[in-house]
Amino acid sequence: MARLLDQWRANRANGNGRRVPEYAALATAIRGLLRDGRIPLGVRLPAERELADALGISRTTVTAAYRDLRETGHLTSRRGSGSFTAIPGGQRVGSAGLWTPEDAGDMIDLGCAAPVAPAQFAEAVAEAANELPRYTAGAGYHPSGLPALRERIAAAFTGRGLPTSPDQILVTTGVQQAVDLILRLLVSPGQAVLVESPTYPNVLAALRAHRTRVVTSSVDPVDGWEEELLLAELRATRPTVAYLIPEFQNPTGHVMPHRLRSLLPSVAHRAGTDLIIDESFVELFLDEPTDAGAARPPVASFDAHARVLTVGGMSKPYWGGLRVGWIRAATPVIARLSALRVTVDMSGPVLDQLVAAAMLDRAGEVLAARRRELRERRDVLAGALRQQLPQWTFTPPRGGMGLWVELDAPVATALAQAAHEHGVRLAPGPLFGVAGTLERFIRLPFTLPGPDLVEAVRRLAGAHADLTRARPASWTPPSLVA
Amino acid sequence: MARLLDQWRANRANGNGRRVPEYAALATAIRGLLRDGRIPLGVRLPAERELADALGISRTTVTAAYRDLRETGHLTSRRGSGSFTAIPGGQRVGSAGLWTPEDAGDMIDLGCAAPVAPAQFAEAVAEAANELPRYTAGAGYHPSGLPALRERIAAAFTGRGLPTSPDQILVTTGVQQAVDLILRLLVSPGQAVLVESPTYPNVLAALRAHRTRVVTSSVDPVDGWEEELLLAELRATRPTVAYLIPEFQNPTGHVMPHRLRSLLPSVAHRAGTDLIIDESFVELFLDEPTDAGAARPPVASFDAHARVLTVGGMSKPYWGGLRVGWIRAATPVIARLSALRVTVDMSGPVLDQLVAAAMLDRAGEVLAARRRELRERRDVLAGALRQQLPQWTFTPPRGGMGLWVELDAPVATALAQAAHEHGVRLAPGPLFGVAGTLERFIRLPFTLPGPDLVEAVRRLAGAHADLTRARPASWTPPSLVA
């Protein structure tokens, strides 16, 4: 090691003339050896004193250098057994959902089904800023959410034919927190949670984080839910909770039939199951008149035993950077969730909630524009796929934000890897299921502008064409999938 | 029951002439019987069909009424065994930290140590609104935090003598989430976590929620930490994590001596303990020159083994309604926390983070004003207490936001109860410890304006005077303590 390090003092010159401290130079040298593999990963570095003696420098310098290496992730300690070489981000392997800005650049991101903010956003922010003084004079803590926002959310449910009082609403920092809070309140490690297969990857990640036992009920790419099968699975497995997406199911895009909606709550009640109904996409119907939503009664409207917890939020119809979601449930459940929430993050951001209220006041125009935009982009994406990749099949959804595409072979993961090299970040089917299933599918969101979608399909066709090339081992699936 | 309900149809007239539906009238009648105790709590209501027959109405009406009662929390179901009467919020008993707006009014809130927003807040919001377009053109997801904010936070640490790169910073939605994320990553149910006694109630609540085993090390109201005792406890109990507040410890206000700071990390490392160092109050020194912070090296600056996770945030020095906190740790730990965070709430609010960045750019003036204000209010509160309640003792802290007051008898809970009747919300000592200890203490924040503090002390003197009166059983401690 000392021999390998003979030139380390060279690192003290830092380009612009000034000299860096000895410890930093030593750390840089060791990082260099790690990078070009002259020191392998996972090997034990000499004790600080040994290395100090070998290099003829003070132990303090070596200590500082090792500490620097630890903070940059090139060294890990195991108590009693010394310091071992590592690479930064090595810990990321297997960790779900980490955003990696490095992946940006020319990359077209089809991993996230997330739109940019609506045109009315700045206007809503200005309105919120005017409202703010009424709140900045207080401590700013409203764990259940700002009354003004809870009222608007309750009114929206009531408007959809589901009478709701503000006491039945908890405002959360996004739908993800809504689901996480409910899991914390209702599910213990090892208990069963039923989800659709395929379903939303970040909820699967949350279920893994809570160490729940995941049971799945499949949603057919063409036909959607199989009523008898789903109800039978509820009766048989009696899961603690079931998580379902009745509107424009993510990722298949299906809409749950009226009859199944009406049967779910009582079957769930008899099975002792609470239902998490995710309405993230409920407003995003693309082929129907504006009042079409009313034709689809919320699952909660069939709930006679306070078994349904309905979650929704601003991320999909409005903007993901606005972290506002909600839970609708019976008042006592909301009270318990609010109490739990204080231990999790105290309370939500006041300003974001005021912006959300201002956006909801503009729901009509915002959603109309969003639907128009998504309809056009869906059709552009569908057209490009039919033309360039006719061997892939899909049913254009009547709403939502993505196509669930069946490939001509079970190669989704390999395709995503190839696509990455061609400049497209892709969410392969297995991300939406458990145990590496769904290799025949990919989700293609249509949230980007038409030209980007056309270019993305062109690159996908290229990736599909050279699926045979060997892949660099380093590749990992897109980390943030929304 | 049918007899008790004979007049229920009277409820159909709703004052302004219009008639409410039958089911609503029936629900109102049953709520009335519950309220005035003619139906006791926890009793089983007749089955829907029975009641329908007895009242000569359709079963649907009874079903709808029962559902209404469930949603308002007056009825709970137990599978197989029918519907039982309840009271809304009954579920709140024993649930920590639920904010109850009803408690407002003339009540002076000494439960929360939380200031109103600084004068510069509106200005910072305007600046943030100008920055926003650079972000609204994207999906809005930044699970590790906005780079611009991470850089400012890292620079602030570096400025305090602790070299820090933005990669070592995770932006959270407040300090509470910072602690919760760390507990999720590092601690399993049943593992030991060491905290100071007394300590911050919401962290105790989080530890309970994580089902950790809490071990305490006492901080003396007069002398603060006992170095040898704390280090011995670390060596003996070898907790998975220790949570400590070195600056203006909450609630005692003590500052950890330099020597103990320098010893903690290595002792913790040998014990296999990771340290959560809460710096919420670090900027709030009140009796020292502005650069005094530098005289107190961060505990992390003595960390040679990446054992220290430093948490801090905007809530205390700036405003609690701005939900921005952070974690400073080794890069690989931050990477793992960011991945975990995606499963918890995806990402933080963009707008709040931009406001936080703008506030940090104004740190100098904002903190100077905050210190001046807190210094004056501390002295007003201390003066009023010495004058009106001389039998209580306290050591005015050199910083932070509250006095830790020792009473003349172990009556904190009874006093808080009496104070509530006199119009003061009070945080009794036991909230800051485990197993009902600390009955001799209360925390009195000095975040409210001087006149409110003087009035609060006047009311406390009144409450202290009639501590002998009987208390209504209904009283519960202040729910949100910040």
Side-chain angles (χ1 to χ4, degrees):
Chain A
M1 172 99 175
R3 238 176 297 104
L4 289 170
L5 284 167
D6 57 357
Q7 292 304 315
W8 68 276
R9 279 200 171 75
N11 296 310
R12 294 202 60 187
N14 74 346
N16 53 42
R18 272 187 281 90
R19 284 162 68 76
V20 303
E22 265 195 325
Y23 83 89
L26 179 56
T28 307
I30 296 175
R31 271 189 289 268
L33 294 176
L34 265 165
R35 230 190 338 270
D36 49 30
R38 279 177 293 164
I39 305 181
L41 291 182
V43 303
R44 189 175 176 294
L45 286 192
E48 293 166 3
R49 166 145 299 130
E50 297 170 41
L51 185 58
D53 296 347
L55 296 175
I57 54 175
S58 84
R59 179 176 175 179
T60 340
T61 306
V62 179
T63 307
Y66 278 19
R67 176 186 153 196
D68 187 57
L69 290 167
R70 274 186 202 91
E71 297 221 319
T72 57
H74 293 83
L75 211 54
T76 60
S77 297
R78 302 179 205 153
R79 181 151 44 94
S81 54
S83 304
F84 295 78
T85 55
I87 43 158
Q91 290 73 356
R92 240 166 47 200
V93 174
S95 69
L98 178 60
W99 179 256
T100 50
E102 312 83 71
D103 292 4
D106 176 47
M107 185 70 60
I108 298 179
D109 187 353
L110 295 186
C112 274
V116 304
Q120 298 82 349
F121 200 79
E123 184 185 312
V125 170
E127 189 176 310
N130 293 336
E131 286 289 304
L132 200 55
R134 294 176 40 215
Y135 297 88
T136 48
Y141 293 114
H142 309 270
S144 308
L146 299 187
L149 180 56
R150 297 173 81 192
E151 282 162 21
R152 283 173 174 81
I153 295 166
F157 276 109
T158 304
R160 288 174 51 212
L162 182 60
T164 302
S165 84
D167 289 353
Q168 289 176 256
I169 301 296
L170 170 64
V171 179
T172 61
T173 46
V175 175
Q176 188 71 24
Q177 188 187 42
V179 172
D180 178 63
L181 284 173
I182 294 170
L183 293 177
R184 287 214 209 195
L185 183 70
L186 299 180
V187 187
S188 304
Q191 289 184 325
V193 175
L194 183 142
V195 299
E196 294 144 335
S197 174
T199 188
Y200 182 49
N202 290 314
V203 164
L204 287 174
L207 292 172
R208 279 191 294 269
H210 283 274
R211 298 199 223 79
T212 60
R213 186 161 52 84
V214 177
V215 295
T216 60
S217 176
S218 63
V219 177
D220 183 79
V222 178
D223 305 324
W225 296 264
E226 295 174 49
E227 176 184 305
E228 267 325 306
L229 196 59
L230 174 55
L231 298 180
E233 276 155 345
L234 280 173
R235 295 190 189 97
T237 57
R238 303 170 70 87
T240 310
V241 162
Y243 167 83
L244 303 169
I245 312 171
E247 285 86 18
F248 314 115
Q249 199 265 350
N250 188 1
T252 64
H254 285 292
V255 176
M256 186 179 285
H258 185 291
R259 185 180 141 84
L260 181 51
R261 293 166 186 263
S262 66
L263 294 174
L264 268 173
S266 54
V267 172
H269 176 61
R270 282 192 294 276
T273 301
D274 291 310
L275 294 174
I276 303 177
I277 299 299
D278 186 340
E279 292 190 336
S280 292
F281 298 93
V282 71
E283 300 288 1
L284 295 178
F285 43 86
L286 305 181
D287 298 332
E288 301 159 331
T290 319
D291 58 353
R296 284 185 290 271
V299 173
S301 61
F302 302 100
D303 179 22
H305 301 89
R307 282 289 184 181
V308 176
L309 297 93
T310 306
V311 302
M314 310 290 289
S315 301
K316 299 303 185 181
Y318 297 87
W319 187 46
L322 185 66
R323 304 306 301 143
V324 173
W326 51 79
I327 304 172
R328 180 206 183 269
T331 309
V333 178
I334 292 300
R336 292 165 62 199
L337 285 165
S338 302
L340 176 61
R341 192 263 173 79
V342 170
T343 72
V344 170
D345 69 354
M346 290 287 283
S347 182
V350 170
L351 188 52
D352 256 38
Q353 291 182 76
L354 292 174
V355 175
M359 290 304 287
L360 288 178
D361 291 342
R362 293 162 173 72
E365 44 172 325
V366 172
L367 293 175
R370 183 69 82 198
R371 292 184 190 113
R372 201 178 319 112
E373 182 184 76
L374 286 170
R375 192 182 310 121
E376 289 162 9
R377 294 175 177 185
R378 175 195 60 185
D379 299 344
V380 167
L381 177 60
L385 283 169
R386 290 201 191 90
Q387 187 197 16
Q388 301 209 35
L389 287 156
Q391 59 276 65
W392 293 358
T393 59
F394 56 89
T395 317
R398 288 154 48 205
M401 293 184 160
L403 301 184
W404 184 238
V405 177
E406 180 158 8
L407 307 175
D408 49 340
V411 294
T413 303
L415 177 69
Q417 193 163 343
H420 195 268
E421 294 158 27
H422 284 255
V424 178
R425 185 207 296 261
L426 203 62
L431 286 180
F432 299 82
V434 292
T437 55
L438 303 169
E439 267 292 350
R440 275 193 166 274
F441 296 89
I442 57 172
R443 185 189 69 173
L444 298 181
F446 39 82
T447 46
L448 293 175
D452 294 3
L453 293 172
V454 171
E455 170 61 15
V457 172
R458 198 188 60 73
R459 297 183 184 182
L460 284 181
H464 180 257
D466 63 21
L467 258 188
T468 50
R469 273 211 5 283
R471 312 273 155 252
S474 71
W475 184 88
T476 54
S479 36
L480 192 123
V481 177
Chain B
M1 172 99 175
R3 239 176 295 101
L4 289 169
L5 284 169
D6 56 357
Q7 292 305 314
W8 69 275
R9 281 200 168 77
N11 295 309
R12 295 203 60 185
N14 72 348
N16 53 44
R18 270 186 284 90
R19 285 162 67 75
V20 302
E22 267 196 323
Y23 82 88
L26 179 57
T28 308
I30 296 176
R31 271 189 289 269
L33 294 176
L34 265 164
R35 229 191 338 273
D36 49 31
R38 279 176 293 164
I39 305 180
L41 291 181
V43 303
R44 189 177 176 293
L45 286 192
E48 293 166 3
R49 167 145 297 129
E50 296 170 42
L51 186 58
D53 297 346
L55 296 175
I57 55 176
S58 83
R59 179 177 174 176
T60 339
T61 306
V62 179
T63 307
Y66 278 19
R67 175 185 157 197
D68 186 58
L69 289 166
R70 272 185 203 94
E71 297 221 320
T72 57
H74 293 82
L75 210 55
T76 60
S77 298
R78 302 178 205 154
R79 181 149 45 95
S81 54
S83 304
F84 295 79
T85 56
I87 43 158
Q91 291 73 356
R92 242 165 47 200
V93 174
S95 70
L98 178 58
W99 178 256
T100 49
E102 311 83 72
D103 292 4
D106 177 45
M107 186 71 59
I108 299 179
D109 187 353
L110 295 186
C112 274
V116 304
Q120 297 83 349
F121 200 80
E123 183 185 313
V125 170
E127 189 177 310
N130 293 335
E131 286 289 305
L132 200 54
R134 295 177 39 220
Y135 296 89
T136 47
Y141 294 113
H142 308 269
S144 308
L146 298 186
L149 180 56
R150 296 173 81 192
E151 281 162 22
R152 283 173 173 80
I153 295 165
F157 276 110
T158 305
R160 288 172 52 210
L162 182 60
T164 302
S165 84
D167 289 352
Q168 289 176 256
I169 301 295
L170 169 65
V171 179
T172 61
T173 46
V175 175
Q176 187 72 23
Q177 189 189 41
V179 173
D180 178 63
L181 284 173
I182 294 170
L183 293 178
R184 288 213 207 196
L185 183 69
L186 300 180
V187 186
S188 304
Q191 289 185 326
V193 175
L194 183 142
V195 299
E196 296 144 334
S197 174
T199 189
Y200 181 47
N202 289 314
V203 165
L204 287 174
L207 292 172
R208 278 191 295 269
H210 283 274
R211 299 200 223 80
T212 60
R213 186 161 51 86
V214 176
V215 294
T216 60
S217 175
S218 63
V219 176
D220 183 80
V222 178
D223 305 325
W225 295 265
E226 295 174 47
E227 177 184 303
E228 267 325 306
L229 196 59
L230 174 55
L231 298 180
E233 275 155 345
L234 278 173
R235 295 191 189 95
T237 58
R238 304 170 69 87
T240 310
V241 162
Y243 168 82
L244 303 168
I245 312 170
E247 284 86 20
F248 314 115
Q249 198 266 347
N250 188 1
T252 64
H254 286 291
V255 176
M256 187 179 285
H258 184 291
R259 184 179 141 85
L260 180 52
R261 293 166 185 262
S262 67
L263 295 174
L264 266 173
S266 55
V267 172
H269 175 60
R270 281 192 295 277
T273 301
D274 290 311
L275 294 175
I276 303 176
I277 298 299
D278 186 340
E279 291 190 337
S280 292
F281 299 93
V282 69
E283 299 288 0
L284 295 178
F285 42 87
L286 305 181
D287 298 332
E288 302 158 327
T290 320
D291 58 353
R296 284 185 290 273
V299 172
S301 61
F302 301 101
D303 179 21
H305 301 89
R307 282 291 185 182
V308 177
L309 297 93
T310 306
V311 302
M314 311 290 290
S315 302
K316 299 303 186 180
Y318 298 86
W319 187 47
L322 185 66
R323 305 304 303 143
V324 173
W326 50 78
I327 304 173
R328 179 207 183 269
T331 309
V333 178
I334 293 299
R336 292 167 61 200
L337 285 165
S338 302
L340 176 61
R341 190 261 174 80
V342 170
T343 72
V344 170
D345 69 355
M346 290 287 283
S347 182
V350 170
L351 188 52
D352 256 38
Q353 292 182 74
L354 292 174
V355 174
M359 290 305 287
L360 288 178
D361 290 344
R362 293 162 173 72
E365 46 172 324
V366 173
L367 293 174
R370 183 69 82 199
R371 292 184 190 112
R372 202 179 316 112
E373 182 183 76
L374 287 171
R375 192 183 309 119
E376 289 163 9
R377 294 175 176 184
R378 175 195 61 186
D379 299 343
V380 166
L381 177 60
L385 283 170
R386 291 201 190 88
Q387 188 198 14
Q388 300 208 36
L389 288 156
Q391 59 275 64
W392 293 358
T393 61
F394 57 87
T395 316
R398 288 155 45 207
M401 293 184 160
L403 302 184
W404 183 239
V405 176
E406 180 159 8
L407 307 175
D408 49 340
V411 295
T413 303
L415 177 69
Q417 193 163 344
H420 195 268
E421 293 158 28
H422 285 256
V424 178
R425 186 207 296 262
L426 203 62
L431 285 180
F432 299 82
V434 292
T437 54
L438 304 168
E439 267 291 351
R440 275 193 165 274
F441 297 89
I442 57 172
R443 184 188 71 173
L444 298 182
F446 41 82
T447 45
L448 293 176
D452 295 3
L453 293 172
V454 171
E455 170 60 15
V457 172
R458 197 188 61 71
R459 297 182 185 182
L460 285 180
H464 180 257
D466 64 20
L467 257 188
T468 50
R469 273 210 6 276
R471 310 278 153 249
S474 71
W475 185 86
T476 54
S479 36
L480 192 125
V481 176

